[in-house]
Amino acid sequence: MSTTITKESMNEFRNWLHSEERSEGTIAKYMRDLERLSAWLGDKEVTKENLTEWKEHLTANGYEPVTVNSMLAVVNTYCRFAGLNIKVKFLRIQRKLFREESKELTKDEYEKLIRTAEGKGNVRLAMLIETIGATGIRVSEVRYITVEAAKAGRTQISLKGKIRDILLPGKLCKKLLKYAKKQKIASGEIFITKSGKGMSRKQIWAEMKALCQAAGVEASKVFPHNLRHLFARVFYRVTHDVAKLADLLGHSSIETTRIYLLSTGAEHARQLEGLGLVQ
């Protein structure tokens, strides 16, 4: 395969990602990052030197280290796909001890979003926010919330080559079935558009963002994946079982789950004060 990134190689890469059963969201992210690299490279070849220079370019232009590493992961995957014996080293990042409060969605804010959606007459969005928040599913897994699942009280999710069972709270099931009946949805996916198709990630994202101002919640906190983080924090506070939480979230590594459980800077400060080591 050519050592330059071409439209043909990008299409082949996309098809390969599909064959690897990557989610649509992951594929979209990979293609965006590859397009950025392709635009920066121009006619230059994919070499270790050029990719290292691109890494330096990203860092110099203010990209967060985590973002740079996620883009390098895409590049390394592309090189593996293209048969190129190239692997760019990730930036070394000290593990974070706490999370920024400006990005943490609280339970009160979560409830505000639901009430605001209901107040605006968008019952579907209110139910969707509550469903993700109460189950911790990914936005790409919303399609597994069906009438049949609500009746059974559980759903089986197949994603990234893994299958896991998710229990649905009884109260949520009743609300989902009531909503489905009102919308005349007798079977299949519950969260669908007027044309009967499942809601897209982009549509869910846009509808959630549109609630921010009316709900009085910072836009930086309002996105589907943050509901998943909220579920993780609340579940852990109740159970203190990180292994079970990892299974529920579909994480292969508990280390990934631990990232979801970082305390905020304010919580971290209170913990330090509580040590009583300053006289």
Side-chain angles (χ1 to χ4, degrees):
M1 187 175 286
S2 171
T3 54
T4 57
I5 299 174
T6 63
K7 286 186 178 180
E8 182 182 1
S9 68
M10 290 180 71
N11 285 332
E12 289 175 357
F13 182 54
R14 186 195 301 273
N15 293 335
W16 179 78
L17 291 171
H18 274 292
S19 71
E20 291 287 300
E21 298 184 356
R22 303 296 179 101
S23 71
E24 289 300 327
T26 297
I27 293 173
K29 191 260 191 248
Y30 274 40
M31 298 312 298
R32 282 197 304 272
D33 289 349
L34 192 61
E35 284 167 6
R36 287 193 186 102
L37 172 60
S38 177
W40 183 83
L41 282 172
D43 295 328
K44 293 190 289 187
E45 294 187 341
V46 178
T47 64
K48 180 69 176 285
E49 292 73 22
N50 286 337
L51 294 182
T52 300
E53 188 179 337
W54 185 59
K55 177 173 72 172
E56 293 168 354
H57 163 77
L58 293 174
T59 304
N61 279 273
Y63 282 83
E64 291 289 331
V66 172
T67 303
V68 174
N69 282 349
S70 75
M71 295 171 81
L72 294 179
V74 172
V75 171
N76 287 338
T77 301
Y78 175 79
C79 288
R80 179 162 59 87
F81 152 76
L84 302 173
N85 189 27
I86 300 172
K87 189 172 183 179
V88 189
K89 289 183 179 180
F90 295 126
L91 296 174
R92 295 185 66 180
I93 304 173
Q94 182 180 353
R95 182 173 170 177
K96 284 190 174 182
L97 295 177
F98 50 85
R99 182 177 55 256
E100 294 176 43
E101 280 186 84
S102 62
K103 294 182 179 178
E104 179 177 300
L105 183 71
T106 67
K107 193 175 178 184
D108 283 345
E109 289 168 334
Y110 159 74
E111 291 170 352
K112 278 184 184 178
L113 291 171
I114 294 171
R115 289 196 302 270
T116 303
E118 289 173 339
K120 286 180 166 291
N122 194 341
V123 183
R124 180 183 65 186
L125 181 58
M127 276 298 330
L128 181 57
I129 291 172
E130 197 164 13
T131 299
I132 297 176
T135 60
I137 59 174
R138 300 177 176 91
V139 68
S140 58
E141 297 170 341
V142 167
R143 67 181 185 274
Y144 292 100
I145 304 300
T146 62
V147 172
E148 293 77 10
K151 288 178 178 177
R154 65 175 61 205
T155 188
Q156 190 174 78
I157 291 175
S158 175
L159 194 68
K160 298 183 178 180
K162 293 180 288 188
I163 296 175
R164 74 186 197 279
D165 289 320
I166 295 292
L167 294 179
L168 306 178
K171 192 174 179 181
L172 176 66
C173 289
K174 288 178 183 177
K175 294 182 78 169
L176 286 169
L177 290 173
K178 183 179 179 181
Y179 169 78
K181 185 177 181 180
K182 192 170 183 180
Q183 300 299 317
K184 298 181 180 179
I185 302 170
S187 63
E189 291 183 51
I190 290 178
F191 297 107
I192 56 176
T193 62
K194 290 180 180 178
S195 63
K197 295 181 179 179
M199 293 179 72
S200 68
R201 175 192 298 263
K202 186 177 181 181
Q203 182 179 1
I204 294 170
W205 184 291
E207 287 193 16
M208 283 184 65
K209 288 293 184 184
L211 282 180
C212 297
Q213 188 171 356
V217 180
E218 290 294 327
S220 61
K221 298 182 177 186
V222 183
F223 51 94
H225 201 70
N226 231 10
L227 297 173
R228 185 166 154 86
H229 278 259
L230 175 63
F231 168 84
R233 294 197 308 276
V234 174
F235 182 89
Y236 185 73
R237 282 176 196 153
V238 173
T239 67
H240 298 288
D241 190 337
V242 70
K244 189 170 185 179
L245 177 58
D247 289 338
L248 284 174
L249 295 175
H251 289 160
S252 300
S253 168
I254 286 180
E255 287 307 308
T256 303
T257 311
R258 291 188 194 281
I259 295 171
Y260 283 53
L261 304 178
L262 291 175
S263 60
T264 64
E267 286 175 308
H268 189 65
R270 283 196 297 272
Q271 289 164 357
L272 291 177
E273 293 289 345
L275 296 177
L277 294 174
V278 179
Q279 300 302 310

